[in-house]
Amino acid sequence: MNSDYKAVLQRLREERVKLNLTQRLLCYRMKMLQSHYSRAESGSKRFSYNEMKGLCTSDVDIFYVFTGKKSRSGQEFMALREFGRGEILCYLNTMYLLAKTVRLVDRNRISFELVQKQLDFLQYGSGNMGNQSNIFYSVRNQRGYTQQKMADYLGIDIKKLRGLEYGKIRPDSEMVWKMYHLFEISPAYILEDDKGLWKELNYVLDLLENNEREMVIRILENEQELMRYCRLFTAGF
């Protein structure tokens, strides 16, 4: 087992203990046997995609578990209940485009460079798991990799890669980690985890200097107001 993936499992256990969650309680959320959970947490098996989706419904911070990153300040941009996945992705895309624009004008803005690097996965388009529009195909296509080269990077055979690209196979926990470790693809993005994406949004906001953060939050708040009016407008049709 790779030492970095082992660190993912250690952070999972850390989160579970910190939140006073027993393995049994998590098994209920993840719809798996406790014996299977115990083996997966120890690294002798992998969590399935659906089991991880169940984990996303708990209080465990998926973004932290897979990346080891947390917001330093603990400040939160709005409340999670006010967002849907589409809205969070809109905010993340706004921050990504803003960071790229600022970097074009001023290469010395290191904080925006960090934001751009963290959100660079957004260049790959949709994280949906259907057909060839999913993240595995998008990464390979945009990087110009052959299926063999991509499969070699991921440590799998071409048959499994094709299954992942066409959505016939869902990534397990180690594969989600590999996509982050090798290509910095957000685990919350692959898992379509609203809470994880919201955690990531707050993390990238915290990468900014105080005056930069305040400016970006004002932009996001204006965007939120615009989206609210759009919902009201479309509801009338």
Side-chain angles (χ1 to χ4, degrees), residues 1 16 33 55 73 78 83 129 144 154 159 163 174 184:
M1 177 172 55
R16 180 173 63 77
L33 296 174
L55 184 62
S73 68
M78 308 302 287
F83 295 121
M129 301 302 298
L154 294 173
K159 183 178 179 180
E174 187 173 28
E184 298 184 319

Side-chain angles (χ1 to χ4, degrees), residues 2 4 66 175-185:
N2 187 289
D4 289 332
F66 278 97
M175 187 59 60
V176 171
W177 167 76
K178 282 183 178 180
M179 289 295 284
Y180 175 73
H181 180 69
L182 295 171
F183 307 112
E184 298 184 319
I185 308 299

Side-chain angles (χ1 to χ4, degrees), residues 37-147:
Y37 178 92
S38 181
R39 289 172 57 205
E41 191 179 78
S42 68
S44 61
K45 74 180 292 290
R46 303 295 177 260
F47 293 108
S48 72
Y49 183 85
N50 287 334
E51 287 165 353
M52 286 186 292
K53 289 288 288 181
L55 184 62
C56 292
T57 67
S58 73
D59 291 330
V60 171
D61 184 347
I62 292 294
F63 176 67
Y64 168 69
V65 167
F66 278 97
T67 69
K69 297 175 179 178
K70 281 187 175 183
S71 170
R72 295 187 306 273
S73 68
Q75 298 180 37
E76 297 175 351
F77 171 62
M78 308 302 287
L80 176 60
R81 64 179 178 273
E82 306 207 11
F83 295 121
R85 184 182 309 116
E87 290 172 314
I88 300 174
L89 285 172
C90 280
Y91 295 135
L92 289 172
N93 270 292
T94 296
M95 290 194 67
Y96 179 56
L97 294 173
L98 180 62
K100 290 181 70 174
T101 302
V102 170
R103 289 285 292 159
L104 285 173
V105 176
D106 185 356
R107 302 293 294 180
N108 294 318
R109 292 275 190 165
I110 303 302
S111 54
F112 281 97
E113 180 183 7
L114 295 174
V115 170
Q116 181 180 343
K117 183 179 179 182
Q118 180 67 33
L119 299 180
D120 219 28
F121 67 88
L122 292 168
Q123 68 178 294
Y124 296 113
S126 174
N128 294 330
M129 301 302 298
N131 201 4
Q132 290 188 336
S133 64
N134 78 61
I135 196 67
F136 292 91
Y137 174 80
S138 297
V139 170
R140 181 175 70 80
N141 184 50
Q142 290 199 36
R143 288 181 173 240
Y145 292 168
T146 63
Q147 286 188 330

Side-chain angles (χ1 to χ4, degrees), residues 179-204:
M179 289 295 284
Y180 175 73
H181 180 69
L182 295 171
F183 307 112
E184 298 184 319
I185 308 299
S186 169
Y189 188 68
I190 295 177
L191 294 170
E192 299 180 335
D193 173 27
D194 295 4
K195 178 164 60 68
L197 289 169
W198 178 70
K199 292 281 187 180
E200 187 151 14
L201 172 61
N202 284 288
Y203 173 77
V204 291

Side-chain angles (χ1 to χ4, degrees), residues 165-179:
E165 287 191 352
Y166 283 91
K168 295 178 180 178
I169 299 174
R170 296 293 181 99
D172 62 22
S173 54
E174 187 173 28
M175 187 59 60
V176 171
W177 167 76
K178 282 183 178 180
M179 289 295 284

